[in-house]
């Protein structure tokens, strides 16, 4: 094994407190670089058979605007309109 290889160990129970604290840190959102997307309209086109994703998008305000094809697959076109 060279000095350039990364060696990982299994997580142990004592690591969980550290993971939780890191996840709950006030700056966690900043570190993740997550920002609320304000550009509208937003488009989503999940696979038509992915009903869970479609329902989730609908619950967040996306509306059906038809069907699109990607190759041989049908996708539901959803749009989040301007506020």
């Amino acid at each position: 094994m060279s000095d350039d290889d990364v060696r990982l160990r299994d997580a142990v129970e004592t690591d969980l407190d550290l993971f939780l604290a890191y996840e709950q840190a006030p700056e966690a959102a900043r570190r993740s670089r997550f920002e609320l997307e304000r550009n509208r309209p937003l488009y989503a086109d999940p696979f038509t058979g992915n009903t869970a994703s479609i329902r989730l998008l609908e619950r967040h305000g996306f509306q059906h605007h038809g069907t699109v094809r990607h190759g041989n697959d049908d996708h539901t076109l959803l749009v989040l309109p301007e506020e």
Side-chain angles (χ1 to χ4, degrees):
M1 184 173 269
S2 73
D3 291 337
D4 293 331
D5 291 336
V6 174
R7 294 168 50 174
L8 301 175
R9 64 172 174 78
D10 291 336
V12 294
E13 191 164 335
T14 55
D15 294 330
L16 298 180
D17 288 334
L18 177 64
F19 295 157
L20 180 62
Y22 183 79
E23 180 182 80
Q24 301 297 321
E27 70 213 43
R30 180 187 60 76
R31 283 194 311 261
S32 68
R33 297 190 173 131
F34 177 78
E35 296 178 20
L36 182 61
E37 180 59 59
R38 298 196 186 282
N39 291 324
R40 297 287 186 273
L42 288 180
Y43 297 90
D45 61 345
F47 176 67
T48 300
N50 189 345
T51 56
S53 290
I54 293 170
R55 285 187 200 134
L56 176 68
L57 290 162
E58 290 172 334
R59 280 196 304 261
H60 291 297
F62 281 78
Q63 300 168 357
H64 282 267
H65 277 270
T67 303
V68 295
R69 284 189 74 75
H70 294 292
N72 293 327
D73 298 322
D74 288 334
H75 292 249
T76 301
L77 179 61
L78 301 163
V79 178
L80 182 62
E82 296 192 30
E83 298 178 84

